[in-house]
Amino acid sequence: MAKRDYYEVLGLSKGAGADEIKKAYRKMALKYHPDKNPGDQEAEEKFKEAAEAYEVLSNPEKKQRYDQFGHQGVSGNGGFGGGGGMNMDDIFSQFGDIFGGGGGFESFFGGGRGGGRRMRKGTNLRVKLKVNLKEVANGVEKKIKVKRHMVADGVSFKTCSTCQGSGQVKKVVNTMLGQMVSASACPNCGGTGQIIDKKPDHADARGLILKEEVIPINIPAGVADGMQLSLSGKGNEIPGGVAGDLLIVIEEIEHDILQRDGNNVVYDLYVNFVDAALGAHIEVPTIESKVKIKLEPGTQSGKILRLKGKGIKDLNGFGRGDELIHVNVWTPQQLTKEEKEKLESLRESENFIPAPGKSEKTFFDKMKEFF
């Protein structure tokens, strides 16, 4: 699925400054914080989305790239903006100081994640998905088979007797300065506050089974090789916690004839000398099918023709690219005696003497017109 605009996520206009961005993120994070919305998957996703937006817009360099190129400008650059799986602990450690003071989130939620039961998350899964040029151009829904750990049917849990469901154990140490209290994750339940009560025989010690699942994936138009998409909650499950994410790495299959250049596609058209000199109607391939184009009389090698809207849809919804046809006049390498005689008779013709004037554009001039 296509990402929402980061300014839209934080409720800001394009010209928002650093203070506005920080204030907007603080407001969103407080509203959708997991400790304020326990068990609400939608709130957690909005919390992650806001963190991702802030991670990019609060960084001047990333913000500049995003303002100029959109999501493509910050993909693959690390952090949340790189399209990777969102980790709640990373968000808290990186953005905890956004609320000021040393308490971070905890000062707003009465100890929050620091003083209560910690919600654990299962591990992420990563798969590669091959897509061809037509699928890249228009988007596609694919179904893939994924083996992931899931909580088995019939598994039940009970409150951990060691931590009494808090997920933490406290230790009191007497020092010269008095008693010091430290807290750590409960070793019996791993910080979840629950332990397995009953489980079927075919489940492992954690109550999990390895199960194959068919998962539909919507690939948006405009994705590129190496891009990473994320499906929340489709990774490995974990008892007493939330499932990890499924990370889909795009692997773009090269087309036999067309070459991709951003949202444009490029086709090398080879024509014979006669067609270039006299003009012709020639059939050329596009992403979808084939179309006929008109080659004007006197077409020079290196001329670039454009087919509007025959390229790839933009990932951020900004229109569609074009197909650029690069004309190459083919010079025959072998000629019959009769062919040689015909060409020799034309060698001294005034019309066959190269005479490029200022009106003839160089290759670089032609490229500047299109790019």
Side-chain angles (χ1 to χ4, degrees), residues 265-310:
V265 292
V266 180
Y267 174 63
D268 274 313
L269 172 64
Y270 289 88
V271 299
N272 63 51
F273 172 77
V274 177
D275 286 340
L278 302 180
H281 287 85
I282 299 176
E283 192 174 66
V284 297
T286 66
I287 293 174
E288 301 293 339
S289 56
K290 292 183 178 181
V291 298
K292 273 195 173 182
I293 63 169
K294 182 180 179 181
L295 200 66
E296 296 292 342
T299 296
Q300 301 296 319
S301 188
K303 186 176 181 62
I304 298 175
L305 307 176
R306 182 195 293 265
L307 294 179
K308 292 283 292 182
K310 293 295 184 181

Side-chain angles (χ1 to χ4, degrees), residues 34-305:
D35 289 343
K36 193 175 181 182
N37 304 273
D40 189 336
Q41 188 68 28
E42 183 179 354
E44 181 178 330
E45 289 308 309
K46 288 184 177 180
F47 181 76
K48 292 179 181 178
E49 188 180 38
E52 179 177 332
Y54 179 72
E55 191 268 342
V56 171
L57 298 183
S58 63
N59 182 304
E61 183 181 346
K62 290 184 179 180
K63 183 178 182 294
Q64 183 180 10
R65 289 201 304 267
Y66 179 76
D67 289 343
Q68 188 172 2
F69 302 109
H71 291 294
Q72 285 180 306
V74 293
S75 62
N77 287 294
F80 304 136
M86 299 292 289
N87 184 292
M88 297 298 286
D89 291 332
D90 288 342
I91 296 174
F92 295 130
S93 63
Q94 188 163 353
F95 301 134
D97 61 350
I98 195 71
F99 294 89
F105 284 106
E106 288 79 1
S107 64
F108 277 80
F109 295 99
R113 306 179 73 83
R117 174 180 160 187
R118 180 183 177 186
M119 180 64 71
R120 294 195 303 166
K121 184 178 180 180
T123 55
N124 295 334
L125 292 175
R126 181 179 278 102
V127 297
K128 284 187 176 182
L129 184 62
K130 293 184 177 182
V131 290
N132 60 40
L133 187 59
K134 186 174 181 180
E135 293 168 338
V136 167
N138 302 306
V140 66
E141 180 180 295
K142 286 181 171 282
K143 293 181 179 180
I144 61 172
K145 290 182 178 180
V146 176
K147 287 186 177 180
R148 63 191 191 106
H149 286 103
M150 303 176 70
V151 177
D153 292 334
V155 173
S156 60
F157 299 90
K158 62 182 179 181
T159 301
C160 175
S161 58
T162 302
C163 66
Q164 303 301 316
S166 68
Q168 290 189 339
V169 290
K170 294 182 180 180
K171 184 178 180 180
V172 180
V173 180
N174 293 315
T175 69
M176 293 176 61
L177 302 175
Q179 289 188 334
M180 295 187 66
V181 180
S182 62
S184 59
C186 175
N188 189 37
C189 65
T192 66
Q194 294 180 316
I195 57 174
I196 292 178
D197 183 24
K198 296 178 182 179
K199 71 177 184 68
D201 294 336
H202 63 281
D204 64 16
R206 298 171 298 167
L208 301 175
I209 58 171
L210 189 62
K211 187 175 180 180
E212 187 174 75
E213 183 178 2
V214 177
I215 300 176
I217 300 173
N218 286 313
I219 307 298
V223 294
D225 189 72
M227 277 190 177
Q228 186 169 273
L229 308 178
S230 177
L231 281 183
S232 179
K234 290 299 182 180
N236 289 319
E237 294 183 354
I238 189 169
V242 296
D245 300 331
L246 175 62
L247 308 178
I248 304 102
V249 181
I250 298 298
E251 188 173 329
E252 190 174 341
I253 304 171
E254 288 189 9
H255 195 276
D256 294 336
I257 301 173
L258 303 174
Q259 298 179 39
R260 181 178 182 181
D261 184 12
N263 289 336
N264 296 326
V265 292
V266 180
Y267 174 63
D268 274 313
L269 172 64
Y270 289 88
V271 299
N272 63 51
F273 172 77
V274 177
D275 286 340
L278 302 180
H281 287 85
I282 299 176
E283 192 174 66
V284 297
T286 66
I287 293 174
E288 301 293 339
S289 56
K290 292 183 178 181
V291 298
K292 273 195 173 182
I293 63 169
K294 182 180 179 181
L295 200 66
E296 296 292 342
T299 296
Q300 301 296 319
S301 188
K303 186 176 181 62
I304 298 175
L305 307 176

Side-chain angles (χ1 to χ4, degrees), residues 9-22:
V9 169
L10 297 179
L12 296 168
S13 60
K14 293 282 185 180
D19 290 340
E20 292 177 279
I21 293 170
K22 185 174 182 179

